Amino acid sequence: MLGPVLLAAARSDGIRRFVSSTPVTRPVVNRFVAGERLGACMESVRSLTGRGLDVTLDHLGEDTTVRAEALRNRDAYLALAEALAGEGLGARAELSVKLSAFGQVLPDGGHDIALANVRPVVEAAAEAGTTVTLDMEDHTTVDSTLAILAELRKSFPQTGAVLQSYLFRTEDDCRDLAGEGSRVRLVKGAYDEPASVAHRDKAEVDRAYVRCLKILLSGKGYPMVGTHDPRMVAITQELARRLGRKHDEFEFQMLYGIRESEQSRLAAEGHRMRVYVPYGTDWYGYFMRRLAERPANLGFFLRSLATRG
Ligand SMILES: Cc1cc2nc3c(=O)[nH]c(=O)nc-3n(C[C@H](O)[C@H](O)[C@H](O)COP(=O)(O)OP(=O)(O)OC[C@H]3O[C@@H](n4cnc5c(N)ncnc54)[C@H](O)[C@@H]3O)c2cc1C
């Protein structure tokens, strides 16, 4: 019930201003976000990779409606790729981008603007010895995002996609993207989607997730299993064993600050475990989606508001 309300709040400017300017939200936000500046982000990268975890870095930002801001977001990723190259961390750290931060939703030619802005980031990532994964946003952006993926993969076939099991279309998309060299992060999906395009029932989303897992793990690509759900982790391990996939032929991914002991456990078992590390000042939308996913996170947030001062 609360999920859709919080997801609607994630897109409200008024609530954004209130929550972003309330100092007591900081400690809660810090649980999910690795800091506001590149320096703080790089500190997390060193710490996580030092513990045997890989990372994917997200410079926070989305739904950009001003062209200059899309360029600033591009430049933030170029600086990030340069920092990774400088520290020789390309083999351990990749980049996750939201195309809406690169101009995808701009009214005139957003698709082409996003492609033009993301291309130099993909090139810089390749020079730094790493890759870029295109995060998936709400369902209205999926066709455009997959078309940009196809375009980028012509020169950089290692560019990754994200598919969301809650969308009815996703099993077909998994089949299309299960080929040689393709990298796909499978997630359940974090946006409030209408019943006309997506499963709304949690059990249905889970069942769809397992069907998609089967397609990706039996394919020839590199599946990236993005979930904190212990059932999905166990099913992945069992399917990989049955299908003869070795530990380095797929990976698990979890979000920064969520189920950290499970992240360490999977890495210690010899799995490749990648942590999604968001950083930057524009944390509001990301933070609200994390609250919407889990009532316990919301409780933690509300308690900190109630005890302020
Ligand atoms: C690396 C990564 C990248 C993502 N990228 C995208 C993207 O590009 N687009 C998109 O739409 N979504 C993305 N998501 C979010 C995703 O779609 C889900 O909203 C989110 O992962 C919650 O689903 P879940 O599979 O983790 O488990 P849920 O269905 O939320 O939870 C299932 C079970 O997992 C366990 N669990 C979940 N959270 C916690 C916790 N905090 N502590 C302890 N146990 C917990 C509990 O047992 C819970 O019952 C991403 C998620 C990850 C991990």
Side-chain angles (χ1 to χ4, degrees):
M1 272 300 280
L2 261 176
V5 176
L6 288 165
L7 290 173
R11 291 199 147 152
S12 151
D13 280 342
I15 303 177
R16 172 193 293 266
R17 272 194 298 277
F18 170 72
V19 173
S20 304
S21 62
T22 307
V24 290
T25 54
R26 286 308 317 178
V28 194
V29 172
N30 290 344
R31 244 191 81 181
F32 301 106
V33 174
E36 296 203 337
R37 308 269 158 240
L38 179 59
C41 163
M42 290 304 291
E43 237 169 74
S44 294
V45 174
R46 283 181 221 112
S47 159
L48 291 161
T49 53
R51 288 170 37 215
L53 302 162
D54 288 339
V55 296
T56 181
L57 305 174
D58 167 28
H59 176 262
L60 290 161
E62 53 195 87
D63 294 340
T64 298
T65 51
V66 179
R67 229 173 149 139
E69 198 184 320
L71 293 175
R72 278 195 293 277
N73 287 329
R74 177 202 64 188
D75 292 347
Y77 274 98
L78 293 176
L80 192 45
E82 197 181 314
L84 292 178
E87 297 200 27
L89 280 165
R92 308 293 305 280
E94 66 138 43
L95 307 178
S96 282
V97 305
K98 283 189 175 53
L99 290 175
S100 77
F102 282 68
Q104 189 181 37
V105 296
L106 288 171
D108 292 317
H111 175 92
D112 294 335
I113 294 169
L115 175 58
N117 285 339
V118 78
R119 199 186 283 284
V121 173
V122 174
E123 286 164 3
E127 273 166 34
T130 190
T131 52
V132 171
T133 292
L134 306 181
D135 281 358
M136 195 57 86
E137 302 178 69
D138 74 68
H139 77 276
T140 62
T141 65
V142 176
D143 282 332
S144 162
T145 298
L146 293 181
I148 289 177
L149 175 83
E151 202 50 50
L152 293 171
R153 287 195 68 210
K154 288 180 188 164
S155 312
F156 300 93
Q158 65 278 24
T159 308
V162 178
L163 296 176
Q164 301 151 316
S165 75
Y166 63 15
L167 294 184
F168 298 144
R169 61 177 287 165
T170 292
E171 278 172 68
D172 286 339
D173 290 334
C174 284
R175 276 184 209 99
D176 289 346
L177 289 175
E180 188 89 44
S182 170
R183 296 168 62 256
V184 177
R185 176 196 305 153
L186 179 66
V187 298
K188 292 184 186 176
Y191 296 80
D192 187 23
E193 299 292 11
S196 52
V197 299
H199 301 289
R200 304 270 308 173
D201 176 51
K202 208 174 151 12
E204 284 298 336
V205 177
D206 287 358
R207 278 195 281 274
Y209 195 95
V210 176
R211 289 195 296 274
C212 293
L213 265 180
K214 284 183 181 154
I215 297 168
L216 294 174
L217 286 164
S218 350
K220 291 193 161 71
Y222 181 75
M224 306 185 280
V225 182
T227 183
H228 312 100
D229 187 338
R231 276 187 58 231
M232 298 306 141
V233 170
I235 290 170
T236 303
Q237 288 177 309
E238 176 55 22
L239 282 171
R241 195 188 58 74
R242 268 199 256 155
L243 293 163
R245 274 212 180 237
K246 300 194 195 76
H247 278 3
D248 62 353
E249 291 174 334
F250 68 102
E251 69 183 40
F252 288 109
Q253 296 191 348
M254 292 190 192
L255 301 176
Y256 179 83
I258 300 186
R259 301 203 75 207
E260 288 169 330
S261 55
E262 179 67 358
Q263 296 174 10
S264 301
R265 185 188 72 81
L266 287 166
E269 275 186 16
H271 286 292
R272 198 177 278 172
M273 176 75 234
R274 191 179 299 278
V275 182
Y276 183 105
V277 180
Y279 82 101
T281 51
D282 193 1
W283 44 260
Y284 176 75
Y286 178 89
F287 174 66
M288 293 303 276
R289 287 195 293 280
R290 302 295 77 83
L291 292 190
E293 268 155 21
R294 195 165 158 81
N297 291 341
L298 180 64
F300 184 51
F301 174 59
L302 292 176
R303 274 196 303 283
S304 76
L305 281 183
T307 56
R308 72 176 141 164

